[in-house]
Amino acid sequence: MEIVVCVKQVPDTTEVKIDPQTNTLIRQGVPSIVNPFDKNAVEAALQLKEKHGGKVTVISMGPPQAKDALKECLAMGADEAFLVSDRAFGGADTLATSYTLAAAIRKLGQVDLIICGKQAIDGDTAQVGPEIAEHLNLPQVTYVSKIEIEAGKVRVEREHEEGYEIIEAQLPLVVTVVKSINEPRYPTVKGTMKANRKQIPVWTVNDLAVEPEKLGLKGSPTQVRRIFTPKQRTQGEIIQKDTAREAVAALIEKLTEAKIV
């Protein structure tokens, strides 16, 4: 079974910085982590590989430093990793990103299952996985909390607000997974040493069958017009009295003065 996992290196959420000129995230030099939901996707792929055999390939689109995220996935047990990196991909929204990743997946050849985390914590759009499925003309199931495969048929448990759905589908298939699907394993020392020795191929725009006008900022219909910090709201008043009755009376008096009641 050929399984592909799409991962993203995201900024540490306490260190998010915005380029005021392009209104896009500044990633260079910013502390980064592997998107947590994507770790669940890698773990799901590794468990399927251990049960059914096959190969797990991890792909990421991003700057050169995204190799660190791929090495972590290799240390967890993935077999191969590819970085899709080029200045032409910079500033991509979810549509341009999914278009580029879909082109990279096509380059890999036959793929049975594509797994993505349900969303990235820096954008929270949950759009890239479903859009990859559309670009590749494949069926998709989102918010998956359980995956079972038997005789080429996939049976998944899908979370939604009112409970769960049980859905069956044929391979090849794209799924996005939620956090409750598993607990990602930690990279082993042996796996980390092996990952550090492994060369990660970098695919540029010249390596993919893509249309340049659909890449990066140029191919992104989503435009951020303005970024600003909302004005800080004034703090409320804490009424402190000896008894609850006195506090209520003081509150009613203040509300009356403000003509709220």
Side-chain angles (χ1 to χ4, degrees), residues 32-255:
S32 300
I33 59 174
V34 179
N35 182 51
F37 291 108
D38 296 345
K39 282 190 176 183
N40 294 110
V42 173
E43 178 63 30
L46 294 175
Q47 291 182 12
L48 289 171
K49 173 192 167 184
E50 290 165 354
K51 186 173 182 180
H52 301 284
K55 177 180 170 185
V56 175
T57 301
V58 183
I59 293 181
S60 182
M61 188 185 95
Q65 70 191 55
K67 280 187 178 182
D68 294 338
L70 292 173
K71 284 182 180 288
E72 185 172 345
C73 297
L74 289 170
M76 289 175 66
D79 299 290
E80 279 193 299
F82 295 89
L83 176 62
V84 182
S85 184
D86 196 298
R87 296 285 294 182
F89 305 142
D93 68 356
T94 58
L95 185 63
T97 297
S98 60
Y99 173 75
T100 306
L101 287 171
I105 293 170
R106 284 195 194 95
K107 183 176 174 66
L108 289 173
Q110 177 62 38
V111 173
D112 298 300
L113 182 63
I114 301 168
I115 308 179
C116 305
K118 75 162 186 174
Q119 64 194 57
I121 62 171
D122 59 348
D124 289 326
T125 64
Q127 294 173 349
V128 171
E131 287 175 350
I132 288 174
E134 288 297 311
H135 288 304
L136 297 175
N137 195 29
L138 293 176
Q140 58 175 290
V141 185
T142 57
Y143 301 97
V144 170
S145 58
K146 187 176 181 180
I147 305 174
E148 295 178 345
I149 298 178
E150 185 175 350
K153 182 178 291 186
V154 185
R155 183 182 177 91
V156 302
E157 190 173 273
R158 180 179 186 270
E159 282 188 359
H160 60 83
E161 293 179 353
E162 298 180 355
Y164 297 90
E165 294 176 332
I166 304 300
I167 299 175
E168 288 189 350
Q170 297 288 336
L171 296 175
L173 176 70
V174 178
V175 300
T176 71
V177 300
V178 296
K179 193 174 184 61
S180 61
I181 192 171
N182 55 45
E183 185 67 35
R185 67 192 70 185
Y186 289 102
T188 63
V189 174
K190 183 178 179 180
T192 300
M193 294 175 64
K194 184 178 179 181
N196 288 334
R197 291 194 300 267
K198 196 172 184 66
Q199 294 295 318
I200 297 178
V202 179
W203 289 344
T204 68
V205 65
N206 296 324
D207 297 308
L208 304 178
V210 292
E211 300 175 41
E213 64 273 12
K214 294 183 178 181
L215 303 174
L217 202 56
K218 185 187 298 184
S220 300
T222 305
Q223 299 294 323
V224 180
R225 297 297 183 187
R226 183 166 66 105
I227 292 178
F228 64 96
T229 301
K231 293 182 180 179
Q232 187 174 2
R233 295 182 180 180
T234 56
Q235 298 295 321
E237 180 183 350
I238 298 176
I239 299 175
Q240 293 182 327
K241 297 293 182 179
D242 293 334
T243 66
R245 185 180 295 276
E246 291 176 351
V248 171
L251 174 61
I252 292 175
E253 182 180 349
K254 290 184 178 291
L255 293 175

